[in-house]
PDB file of all heavy atoms in Angstrom:
ATOM      1  N   MET A   1    -127.269  39.895 -35.734  1.00 95.00           N
ATOM      2  CA  MET A   1    -127.851  38.700 -36.352  1.00 95.00           C
ATOM      3  C   MET A   1    -126.789  37.606 -36.469  1.00 95.00           C
ATOM      4  O   MET A   1    -125.633  37.902 -36.725  1.00 95.00           O
ATOM      5  CB  MET A   1    -128.387  39.076 -37.747  1.00 95.00           C
ATOM      6  CG  MET A   1    -129.318  38.033 -38.341  1.00 95.00           C
ATOM      7  SD  MET A   1    -130.001  38.576 -39.942  1.00 95.00           S
ATOM      8  CE  MET A   1    -131.414  39.543 -39.374  1.00 95.00           C
ATOM      9  N   ALA A 148    -126.024  34.243 -53.216  1.00 94.00           N
ATOM     10  CA  ALA A 148    -126.181  35.648 -52.831  1.00 94.00           C
ATOM     11  C   ALA A 148    -126.043  36.530 -54.068  1.00 94.00           C
ATOM     12  O   ALA A 148    -125.315  36.205 -55.002  1.00 94.00           O
ATOM     13  CB  ALA A 148    -125.125  36.027 -51.815  1.00 94.00           C
ATOM     14  N   HIS A 149    -126.741  37.643 -54.068  1.00 92.00           N
ATOM     15  CA  HIS A 149    -126.579  38.653 -55.108  1.00 92.00           C
ATOM     16  C   HIS A 149    -125.826  39.847 -54.555  1.00 92.00           C
ATOM     17  O   HIS A 149    -125.907  40.141 -53.361  1.00 92.00           O
ATOM     18  CB  HIS A 149    -127.944  39.102 -55.643  1.00 92.00           C
ATOM     19  CG  HIS A 149    -128.642  38.026 -56.417  1.00 92.00           C
ATOM     20  ND1 HIS A 149    -129.983  37.997 -56.626  1.00 92.00           N
ATOM     21  CD2 HIS A 149    -128.137  36.931 -57.042  1.00 92.00           C
ATOM     22  CE1 HIS A 149    -130.298  36.919 -57.341  1.00 92.00           C
ATOM     23  NE2 HIS A 149    -129.200  36.266 -57.592  1.00 92.00           N
TER      24      HIS A 149
END
Side-chain angles (χ1 to χ4, degrees):
M1 195 177 275
H149 292 158

